[in-house]
Amino acid sequence: MELEGFGASLVGRVVYVVADSEHAWLPWEFLSGTQYAVRILIAGEGHGLRLLEAENTWNAVFRPSGSRDWSVIATMMKSAGGPVLLTVDAGAPALPASFIGFMDGLLAEGRVLTRVWVGTHHEIPAVPDAILYPPLRDPFRAGAAYDMIRRLPGRDGHGAWSAMGAQEWGTLVDATSKSDLGILISDVGERAWCLFWHKIADSVADSRGVLVKRGLTWLRTGATVLEKNSNT
């Protein structure tokens, strides 16, 4: 089976990027083409910068711990006045039902809201429009990906995914991983769930975010060194 490269836009869609926190990425190749008024990252508690936080430019990074935090995020999204990118990182808390309802309201108003979940075991509150996998070199992860894809329900007049058996899937995984390609499944612009290839290297992170975060890290490190030296 030959795959085509995915070429549709995922702006305004629900996207699931299957990756652990050490190898997380945002598929900018498919999220660009619009100027986001607000870029928000919802992250989990923990020490140090996460890869997703460090390698991208955000207007705000939230680590919600209560209803007031979710209210602040909702207010920021509501007042953005333009397209919103909301990314939920691995380890982030589950979105409350009230916040999910708020996002549904924004969509009903015709707002452009791109929602991205990054992780390996997220329970996301909507059927994704696209699921992206990195090169599946590990047999366990390849098997988990196959099981996940088979659970995608039918929608919008088409059925569930049933394009190939386990043996053909294994052949496809082997071919793509050897070419350093990831697998993507989507029904955007299609009449059924379809498989495509994608290349993570084509989704280059916003270098401004990298430089800013690295600069802040260097400043914190320098301040720590100076403080230690002043106490000796």
Side-chain angles (χ1 to χ4, degrees):
M1 178 181 180
E2 293 185 4
L3 291 187
E4 296 182 357
F6 187 69
S9 171
L10 294 177
V11 173
R13 303 287 187 171
V14 180
V15 182
Y16 187 12
V17 175
V18 181
D20 56 46
S21 59
E22 294 183 4
H23 303 93
W25 85 95
L26 283 183
W28 286 115
E29 180 185 8
F30 313 116
L31 301 179
S32 58
T34 188
Q35 183 67 38
Y36 291 105
V38 171
R39 297 180 180 187
I40 296 173
L41 175 66
I42 297 178
E45 294 292 342
H47 300 289
L49 292 172
R50 298 288 187 181
L51 181 64
L52 205 64
E53 181 180 350
E55 291 199 344
N56 295 276
T57 298
W58 305 101
N59 295 97
V61 176
F62 291 95
R63 293 177 172 81
S65 59
S67 59
R68 182 173 181 177
D69 297 324
W70 293 107
S71 178
V72 171
I73 298 171
T75 300
M76 187 174 186
M77 293 171 64
K78 182 74 173 179
S79 61
V84 174
L85 171 64
L86 180 74
T87 300
V88 182
D89 197 3
L95 275 60
S98 58
F99 188 79
I100 295 172
F102 159 75
M103 291 194 296
D104 290 341
L106 287 184
L107 294 169
E109 295 173 5
R111 295 285 299 276
V112 177
L113 172 59
T114 303
R115 292 163 288 172
V116 181
W117 270 261
V118 179
T120 56
H121 56 273
H122 264 305
E123 291 294 333
I124 66 178
V127 177
D129 297 298
I131 303 177
L132 292 86
Y133 300 92
L136 295 170
R137 298 183 178 89
D138 181 87
F140 176 80
R141 292 188 177 184
Y146 182 64
D147 291 339
M148 180 185 293
I149 289 174
R150 289 194 299 167
R151 290 198 302 269
L152 282 172
R155 64 173 186 175
D156 297 334
H158 70 72
W161 183 80
S162 58
M164 64 179 65
Q167 185 174 356
E168 190 176 3
W169 169 259
T171 300
L172 180 66
V173 165
D174 185 59
T176 52
S177 61
K178 285 182 178 178
S179 299
D180 201 30
L181 299 174
I183 292 176
L184 182 155
I185 187 165
S186 178
D187 62 351
V188 174
E190 305 291 337
R191 296 181 179 179
W193 291 114
C194 297
L195 294 177
F196 302 89
W197 62 261
H198 72 96
K199 194 170 186 179
I200 297 177
D202 292 336
S203 291
V204 179
D206 188 334
S207 60
R208 293 173 299 173
V210 178
L211 294 175
V212 169
K213 293 295 185 181
R214 284 179 180 171
L216 290 174
T217 302
W218 292 335
L219 286 174
R220 293 192 190 103
T221 302
T224 301
V225 172
L226 287 174
E227 183 178 358
K228 288 183 177 179
N229 289 340
S230 65
N231 293 329
T232 57

